[in-house]
Amino acid sequence: MKIPSQISTLLAGIVLTLVSLWYGQNHNLLPVAASEAAPLVDQLFNAMLTIGTGIFLLVSFILIYSSFRFRRQPGDLSDGPPVHGNIPLEILWTAIPAVIVLGISVFSFEIYSTENGMNPMDHSMAAHGHHQVAHVQKGAAIAAPLVADTDPNIAITEEIRKNAATNAIEEDIPVRKDAPIPGVVSPRAGAISPSNKQEPLVINAAGMQYAWLFTYPDEIIAGELHLPVGRPVVMNVTANDVLHAFWVPEFRLKQDAVPGRQSEIRFTPTVEGDYPIICAELCGAYHGAMKSHVVVESPEAYEEWLQSMKIAQAKGEAQTVAINPAQMTDSEYLAPYAQETGVTPEMLHHLHSMS
Amino acid sequence: MTTIDPAKTSLNYHHEQAAETHHHEHPDLRIPGVIVFLAAESMIFLGLFMAYIAFRAVTPDWPPEGTPKLELLLPGINTAILISSSFVIHNADTAIKKNDVKGLRLWFGVTALMGAVFLVGQLYEYFHLEFGLKTNIFASTFYVLTGFHGLHVCFGLILILAVLWRSRKPNHYNSEKHFGVEAAEIYWHFVDVIWIILFLLLYIL
Amino acid sequence: MTQAAQIQEQANLPAHGQEPGDWKRYFSFSSDHKVIGIQYLVTTFFFYLVGGVLATMVRTELATPESDFVSREVYNSLFTVHATVMIFLWIVPAGTGGFGNYLVPLMIGARDMAFPKLNALAFWIIPPAGIMLLSSFFVGAPGAGWTNYPPLSLISGKAGEMIWILSVLLLGTSSILAAINFLVTIWKMRVPGMGWNQMPLFCWAMFATSILALIATPVLAGALILLSFDVLIGTAFFNPTGGGDPIVYQHLFWFYSHPAVYIMILPVFGMISDIISVHARKPIFGYKAIAYSSLAICGLGLIVWVHHMFTSGTPPWMRMFFMITTMIIAVPTGIKIFSWLATLWGGKLDGSSALLFAMGFISLFVIGGISGVMVASVPFDIHVHDTYFVVAHLHYVLFGGSVFGLYAGFYHWFPKITGRMMDETWGKVHFWLSFVGFNLAFMPMHKLGLEGMNRRIAEYDPKFATLNLICTIGAFLLAISTIPFIVNAAWSWLRGEPAGDNPWRGLTLEWMTTSPPPVENFDADPILATGPYDYGMGSRSTEVDVPFSDADDPALSAGPSSTLRAKPDPVVAADPSDRGTESHNR
């Protein structure tokens, strides 16, 4: 008995839906989700992948089926049936994709608002950050003093000029000189869940060719990021020379580091581990090598690390004051920070032996 | 089933018609071409205007501190001259439509003069401004915008002079064909409108 | 052949006795749109091969995790010039200048474009601009990506940067001049009886493409002018150390570069509509929907550009607005895909290489479209922006889409352009090698991006090594796949089987004249006796059970009284007593 075409179409549809649903949940394409927002983004991706798989299977099936079922018989030179259109069908396949993309938009909007912790329609000054004085901690490679409530640009320019070390840089390499402390503050991205009552950890991240420098509370500077698990983080991202981008795949978080601008991101790491920090905006020849890592550890381990950094820095500070950065080579300049960027002598040896 | 009645489409069709069908003359589409071209030109200015507006939006002080205020008298006079020249050039178009070549030459001549005065006025302003191209972001955008516009005025002036030159040949322009006149006029109006927007953006607002 | 087709051909008995073409014409400043079209196609295909060599070098570097093939600076130049060449010297000019120029006047029944000499000028800008771009390798090719974001582009080599800027300005100008020509030609030079809704869909596509090129390209010119001031003179439009803002460049750049991708795909959409209809011997399904969706894509395409900047520090309201507009643009695109599928369904597929590439196009473009909807979503894009996921997406739509579509166009119109048929067996070899090689090269990149591999890097984390090796093998296969095509095309042009006037028995006007057409295209102004897709009119010997079609119900299956049919026009009525003076189809 021949199965009626309606039944076989229904069966095909069911199979297609089941396959899509399964693949949407079992794709194994994403790394571990290590921040509070990451599982939400993963849910979104799973949903989109399910829909996408369904559409792909449908289109592929029609193409393959047509190429066999509707193949022209040899010698048959006549035309096919004069079907010019079918209004109800066309309305259907306009409406269904419209509903799907609308649904995905709403879902995305909700996730973004949750991540963002603020109303995207917020047009207030706080949201846009104009004329907002940025209380900037030491986020620059060159030690910039804290800024009082003055125009950040002018205050910093004066400070930079007063300091012989930094002044020299500006004169020697005009285009490579440090970007001024940002006058523009980008609206923030990311959120802290209201249930988390901990005080956020504020860290400044500065990207430069080709490393990151993170400034912790109490003016500790390090090349790698250490974070206590479960505590919300507020990170101000900027760049010192060209565009960079701060990206941690496991956090599903990315923010461009724009020179002359400070962008605030908020997130809460939830899974302990050691994750890569990747620069995600072309920044020069060594863009591929510009890597750091973020260590998410228990609050105790984090405090221990912070203490050790304080001690190490106290020792090192006496040495750094008298150095003129403009007359140093890149490696000389970065040597004091080499430990923090995670570059060890063995690694250097390994790299050199490969080239 | 077909809508074409076989009785009326005999095989003789083509031969019956052969004598009558012909190629249409290649139509003169140069004026639509000029208009479409000017749409593209408008977009390049629009892009530069948007850049100006964007810079203004993100810079805390505008003009940046230390920039001397732009004076309005000379540019205002220049604006008046440019706007009036659009009316003048339109007189020329009216003239040639009535086959008045002398009128065409007179009005085009006056327009060319007014355009030249505008350009001289711009140069005068440039030399007397107290900021240079690289002084600050306002200065840079000011010079690029007005400079780019000035180049377009130059080109319009050249078009007008070219039409004047060609009008020396008898019957080159008459009431039936005067593409050059129309094209130059449309271009000149375009340059004028751009200046009005520029003047508002840079000087007034 | 159907009665309609017979009438159309007889109404337009083609000219005969044309002298053989003089090969020197193809190297001269000819104002014949067919010569210019061929010049475009050959020149752009040459640049495609150049871009392909650059891509092969990129993949060779990426076969291993270390930077060991070329220096990192050279690597950056390789992918920069690769993208620039592929966009500005291959896909945009091949689709618009190449196929557009060749086909549009023929399809609308005109003798040439509105401005033939301008047409030639637009072409002759391309070879010098392209050579200039390639010569930048001698002085330090640009290496800041084809996007050339400042401040990086301000501190890279000045010579390379200025060459890039000048070359793109020239190529953009060529594009604008061509757009002016197409807009005026399509608007004003259609044969009487051909209203807007009787045009082949390729003409609709070229119209929408030209609007985009006209409106968007000048804004890129503005951006590059400001950038060149920064590079050459030291102004600070985009340099924060002087008070400028790099993000303004991004806005100006992407205002053009997003419509650019529609400029690259719309002509191909138009070609696919024609190709599928002819090779399935069925009218195109939903003519008006496809025509108007091209206009919708044109309009929407101008208001989505910020989706390239979701992580740049744009305000949340801006991200949401542009996410929504980007999502919406999936709808008109989806309409086209489903319409093409419905055209194939129930037809009589001839299995030719042109049809194979058209069907391959649909499958690959759908994948690219799906990943496109994914990256339209802001939270997801934040994760995959500037990773290999985006590289996968863009190649699926630009290669799987545009290039496969261009190949379909080559196989379909080669007989008309040269008068000879291409070899079908080698065409199939070409298709399968390309299809397999392409998927091998680009499918793994989705995973690479999701897992954490960023783009524009010469060295990468060793955990990505296996997938990258697979991609490189696929790329090599893709490179090899061009060989059968080149040999086939060259050999067939010289010694292929003569094609005759209408080897595919098509109904659009380009098939109603000789292959290749005479200089004046048609003997006399062509008469439009049928619509462009009126297959199946007249008696059919085999009835096909086609779902959703009902020969007894005209409204559904669009028989002769359907509102979707071309009305016979009184201006061209055969019998003089029926002839009126006003066309009903304007």
Side-chain angles (χ1 to χ4, degrees):
Chain A
M1 180 189 80
K2 196 165 181 318
I3 301 176
S5 65
Q6 285 93 331
I7 304 277
S8 40
T9 311
L10 183 66
L11 281 174
I14 292 176
V15 168
L16 187 149
T17 312
L18 289 175
V19 169
S20 309
L21 284 170
W22 178 86
Y23 189 60
Q25 304 299 320
N26 294 291
H27 50 78
N28 259 334
L29 288 170
L30 283 166
V32 72
S35 79
E36 224 171 54
L40 295 173
V41 177
D42 288 4
Q43 269 176 36
L44 176 63
F45 178 65
N46 289 354
M48 293 195 295
L49 187 61
T50 304
I51 296 170
T53 308
I55 295 176
F56 171 69
L57 289 174
L58 177 69
V59 170
S60 307
F61 174 75
I62 293 178
L63 285 170
I64 297 173
Y65 182 78
S66 302
S67 59
F68 289 109
R69 172 77 172 79
F70 301 117
R71 170 145 291 182
R72 183 187 69 177
Q73 303 301 325
D76 177 11
L77 291 180
S78 64
D79 288 351
V83 179
H84 279 78
N86 182 326
I87 306 280
L89 181 62
E90 292 177 57
I91 292 177
L92 191 72
W93 71 40
T94 309
I96 291 183
V99 166
I100 291 178
V101 297
L102 205 65
I104 296 178
S105 303
V106 170
F107 193 8
S108 306
F109 181 91
E110 274 179 24
I111 292 180
Y112 189 67
S113 312
T114 314
E115 270 193 324
N116 217 17
M118 84 176 174
N119 187 351
M121 301 320 288
D122 186 350
H123 292 280
S124 67
M125 288 296 263
H128 286 252
H130 287 308
H131 309 289
Q132 185 173 323
V133 173
H135 274 277
V136 181
Q137 298 166 308
K138 263 196 307 199
I142 296 163
L146 282 168
V147 183
D149 286 70
T150 57
D151 180 343
N153 275 322
I154 294 182
I156 280 307
T157 315
E158 282 171 19
E159 288 298 338
I160 289 174
R161 297 231 179 274
K162 274 193 244 153
N163 184 343
T166 53
N167 194 30
I169 287 218
E170 289 213 349
E171 284 175 54
D172 286 352
I173 318 165
V175 161
R176 280 180 156 281
K177 67 190 175 192
D178 256 20
I181 295 297
V184 174
V185 178
S186 281
R188 61 168 202 258
I192 300 166
S193 145
S195 58
N196 195 328
K197 294 280 185 286
Q198 295 181 57
E199 171 95 3
L201 177 62
V202 180
I203 298 180
N204 281 16
M208 68 204 75
Q209 287 174 320
Y210 297 97
W212 291 97
L213 281 183
F214 301 100
T215 308
Y216 296 82
D218 299 324
E219 297 178 13
I220 296 168
I221 300 179
E224 61 183 36
L225 192 56
H226 279 248
L227 298 173
V229 67
R231 181 167 170 200
V233 176
V234 171
M235 186 174 289
N236 293 310
V237 181
T238 187
N240 285 3
D241 37 41
V242 298
L243 289 169
H244 299 271
F246 175 85
W247 180 37
V248 181
E250 282 77 2
F251 292 168
R252 314 287 188 267
L253 183 68
K254 183 182 289 127
Q255 176 57 48
D256 280 13
V258 182
R261 188 186 274 239
Q262 192 158 283
S263 310
E264 183 188 291
I265 50 175
R266 299 174 167 233
F267 58 97
T268 307
T270 51
V271 178
E272 289 184 27
D274 192 334
Y275 312 114
I277 297 176
I278 301 169
C279 175
E281 185 61 59
L282 179 65
C283 54
Y286 288 82
H287 170 58
M290 181 168 164
K291 278 195 165 61
S292 180
H293 61 132
V294 51
V295 178
V296 180
E297 51 198 353
S298 68
E300 298 77 38
Y302 168 73
E303 283 302 324
E304 243 183 77
W305 174 83
L306 209 58
Q307 282 308 315
S308 69
M309 290 304 296
K310 268 203 192 125
I311 297 167
Q313 202 144 313
K315 277 199 220 133
E317 232 159 35
Q319 294 170 315
T320 50
V321 174
I323 295 169
N324 183 349
Q327 282 151 16
M328 298 163 76
T329 63
D330 282 331
S331 43
E332 280 176 325
Y333 181 64
L334 284 173
Y337 301 107
Q339 201 66 23
E340 283 84 64
T341 56
V343 177
T344 62
E346 301 83 55
M347 200 182 289
L348 282 175
H349 180 73
H350 184 57
L351 279 170
H352 280 284
S353 69
M354 283 197 304
S355 55
Chain B
M1 277 197 312
T2 168
T3 50
I4 300 170
D5 183 344
K8 295 179 178 169
T9 56
S10 69
L11 288 176
N12 281 329
Y13 171 86
H14 180 79
H15 301 298
E16 274 179 350
Q17 301 309 312
E20 287 174 43
T21 51
H22 57 276
H23 283 299
H24 286 108
E25 287 254 326
H26 191 98
D28 185 0
L29 294 165
R30 290 178 295 174
I31 291 291
V34 167
I35 294 174
V36 173
F37 169 72
L38 288 177
E41 284 279 288
S42 314
M43 286 310 296
I44 200 174
F45 276 103
L46 191 70
L48 292 172
F49 289 153
M50 293 314 292
Y52 175 85
I53 293 173
F55 287 130
R56 186 167 169 165
V58 299
T59 308
D61 288 317
W62 191 271
E65 237 184 77
T67 316
K69 191 110 175 56
L70 287 173
E71 69 138 18
L72 284 181
L73 179 63
L74 176 58
I77 295 176
N78 251 0
T79 306
I81 292 178
L82 198 63
I83 295 180
S84 332
S85 69
S86 265
F87 291 97
V88 171
I89 200 173
H90 187 66
N91 283 348
D93 187 56
T94 320
I96 194 61
K97 286 196 165 98
K98 295 187 281 199
N99 233 347
D100 177 8
V101 177
K102 274 215 175 64
L104 162 70
R105 296 179 58 116
L106 170 67
W107 295 119
F108 255 53
V110 172
T111 313
L113 204 63
M114 294 170 92
V117 166
F118 176 86
L119 284 174
V120 166
Q122 285 287 83
L123 285 172
Y124 180 87
E125 195 193 0
Y126 275 14
F127 280 116
H128 284 81
L129 281 171
E130 281 154 27
F131 51 81
L133 177 60
K134 298 203 285 184
T135 307
N136 58 42
I137 185 87
F138 169 77
S140 306
T141 41
F142 175 86
Y143 278 110
V144 168
L145 275 170
T146 51
F148 206 57
H149 175 262
L151 278 174
H152 281 74
V153 173
C154 274
F155 184 71
L157 196 56
I158 293 174
L159 284 179
I160 292 175
L161 292 173
V163 167
L164 271 173
W165 182 263
R166 285 228 167 129
S167 66
R168 289 157 65 250
K169 178 168 162 215
N171 205 34
H172 185 88
Y173 297 116
N174 55 45
S175 54
E176 300 300 308
K177 65 176 182 80
H178 45 268
F179 164 72
V181 176
E182 273 189 54
E185 186 195 349
I186 298 175
Y187 189 86
W188 196 253
H189 289 320
F190 163 77
V191 151
D192 193 10
V193 169
I194 297 289
W195 175 254
I196 294 173
I197 304 175
L198 235 172
F199 185 69
L200 282 170
L201 264 183
L202 286 178
Y203 290 87
I204 308 284
L205 290 171
Chain C
M1 180 185 298
T2 62
Q3 197 170 12
Q6 280 178 313
I7 291 163
Q8 179 107 304
E9 270 206 16
Q10 273 148 18
N12 296 303
L13 263 180
H16 288 284
Q18 179 215 343
E19 76 289 349
D22 175 15
W23 67 267
K24 288 198 220 58
R25 279 199 307 159
Y26 296 104
F27 289 88
S28 69
F29 191 90
S30 163
S31 59
D32 180 349
H33 73 98
K34 299 182 288 302
V35 171
I36 296 173
I38 294 173
Q39 289 172 324
Y40 263 102
L41 287 174
V42 173
T43 309
T44 55
F45 195 79
F46 165 74
F47 282 113
Y48 168 58
L49 296 177
V50 169
V53 165
L54 293 168
T56 312
M57 292 172 77
V58 166
R59 282 310 324 170
T60 308
E61 171 67 81
L62 290 173
T64 56
E66 305 84 23
S67 166
D68 48 13
F69 177 55
V70 292
S71 78
R72 292 175 179 82
E73 288 81 1
V74 169
Y75 179 81
N76 283 9
S77 308
L78 287 178
F79 64 71
T80 302
V81 181
H82 160 76
T84 312
V85 164
M86 289 303 202
I87 294 171
F88 294 103
L89 288 162
W90 161 229
I91 302 187
V92 170
T96 56
F99 285 107
N101 259 322
Y102 198 94
L103 295 171
V104 166
L106 285 166
M107 284 181 169
I108 62 174
R111 274 181 293 159
D112 209 302
M113 299 281 286
F115 309 115
K117 291 208 167 56
L118 190 70
N119 204 7
L121 174 66
F123 167 70
W124 280 107
I125 292 176
I126 298 204
I131 293 173
M132 178 168 69
L133 179 67
L134 295 179
S135 68
S136 68
F137 276 105
F138 293 121
V139 296
W146 83 276
T147 48
N148 252 314
Y149 281 178
L152 180 65
S153 50
L154 302 178
I155 61 174
S156 311
K158 280 202 197 324
E161 267 311 301
M162 282 315 299
I163 289 179
W164 186 91
I165 290 175
L166 273 169
S167 154
V168 173
L169 281 173
L170 283 172
L171 293 166
T173 306
S174 164
S175 190
I176 295 173
L177 294 178
I180 296 174
N181 228 337
F182 283 112
L183 283 171
V184 177
T185 305
I186 295 174
W187 179 19
K188 295 278 193 189
M189 287 178 70
R190 280 166 285 128
V191 87
M194 186 185 280
W196 286 96
N197 285 324
Q198 283 74 46
M199 280 199 308
L201 285 167
F202 180 67
C203 301
W204 273 106
M206 281 309 304
F207 188 74
T209 308
S210 303
I211 294 176
L212 280 178
L214 192 82
I215 304 281
T217 321
V219 178
L220 179 72
L224 294 183
I225 288 173
L226 295 178
L227 189 69
S228 56
F229 267 92
D230 273 9
V231 170
L232 278 181
I233 298 182
T235 47
F237 292 111
F238 308 123
N239 187 348
T241 54
D245 187 356
I247 307 292
V248 174
Y249 174 84
Q250 293 185 19
H251 278 290
L252 289 173
F253 178 84
W254 286 112
F255 184 84
Y256 163 72
S257 301
H258 189 82
V261 316
Y262 297 116
I263 293 173
M264 288 191 274
I265 198 72
L266 279 170
V268 167
F269 281 167
M271 292 199 288
I272 294 291
S273 296
D274 282 1
I275 293 171
I276 286 186
S277 181
V278 174
H279 290 275
R281 311 256 17 119
K282 261 187 78 196
I284 193 75
F285 193 99
Y287 171 96
K288 277 199 180 147
I290 297 183
Y292 299 155
S293 68
S294 303
L295 290 178
I297 291 174
C298 171
L300 284 167
L302 286 165
I303 53 169
V304 294
W305 79 91
V306 178
H307 68 227
H308 298 270
M309 298 163 58
F310 279 153
T311 61
S312 299
T314 38
W317 60 265
M318 197 184 275
R319 300 188 200 191
M320 288 297 117
F321 173 77
F322 283 95
M323 170 175 86
I324 292 172
T325 51
T326 310
M327 291 273 186
I328 293 176
I329 214 169
V331 176
T333 316
I335 288 175
K336 288 186 198 280
I337 303 262
F338 294 128
S339 296
W340 292 322
L341 291 175
T343 308
L344 289 169
W345 190 267
K348 300 192 177 187
L349 279 52
D350 63 10
S352 58
S353 308
L355 186 62
L356 267 180
F357 270 99
M359 292 169 77
F361 159 88
I362 295 178
S363 68
L364 297 175
F365 184 80
V366 158
I367 296 176
I370 291 170
S371 58
V373 171
M374 290 182 178
V375 291
S377 158
V378 171
F380 180 68
D381 184 64
I382 287 178
H383 177 60
V384 296
H385 170 72
D386 227 276
T387 67
Y388 264 80
F389 190 88
V390 178
V391 177
H393 161 68
L394 77 91
H395 283 94
Y396 265 89
V397 285
L398 285 180
F399 194 118
S402 297
V403 177
F404 268 66
L406 285 169
Y407 275 137
F410 271 114
Y411 282 99
H412 182 70
W413 278 292
F414 187 91
K416 175 55 54 180
I417 296 175
T418 62
R420 297 184 184 273
M421 302 298 287
M422 285 186 84
D423 183 283
E424 280 295 316
T425 313
W426 282 108
K428 292 177 174 53
V429 169
H430 173 212
F431 172 73
W432 286 111
L433 275 176
S434 306
F435 192 77
V436 171
F438 173 81
N439 280 302
L440 209 59
F442 292 103
M443 185 55 86
M445 290 187 187
H446 292 104
K447 181 170 167 78
L448 281 172
L450 290 166
E451 289 275 324
M453 183 173 174
N454 51 334
R455 57 187 290 205
R456 298 175 167 170
I457 53 176
E459 57 211 309
Y460 53 83
D461 189 319
K463 71 182 180 189
F464 300 129
T466 317
L467 283 179
N468 267 293
L469 190 59
I470 297 175
C471 293
T472 301
I473 293 172
F476 285 160
L477 198 59
L478 205 52
I480 294 171
S481 77
T482 31
I483 299 175
F485 174 75
I486 297 172
V487 172
N488 191 356
W491 191 90
S492 303
W493 200 329
L494 296 170
R495 282 195 167 54
E497 193 192 307
D501 302 330
N502 197 350
W504 310 120
R505 295 170 290 122
L507 284 177
T508 39
L509 287 178
E510 78 270 23
W511 302 108
M512 303 301 159
T513 180
T514 51
S515 304
V519 169
E520 298 267 297
N521 290 350
F522 301 96
D523 206 15
D525 276 352
I527 309 289
L528 202 62
T530 74
Y533 304 107
D534 283 347
Y535 300 100
M537 309 303 296
S539 62
R540 281 180 284 128
S541 51
T542 41
E543 288 286 332
V544 176
D545 175 22
V546 180
F548 307 114
S549 85
D550 186 350
D552 296 326
D553 188 344
L556 279 187
S557 66
S561 48
S562 159
T563 52
L564 298 169
R565 276 275 292 115
K567 284 189 166 31
D569 196 85
V571 166
V572 297
D575 190 298
S577 64
D578 287 335
R579 211 172 292 153
T581 47
E582 275 298 305
S583 169
H584 283 178
N585 281 337
R586 285 272 167 200

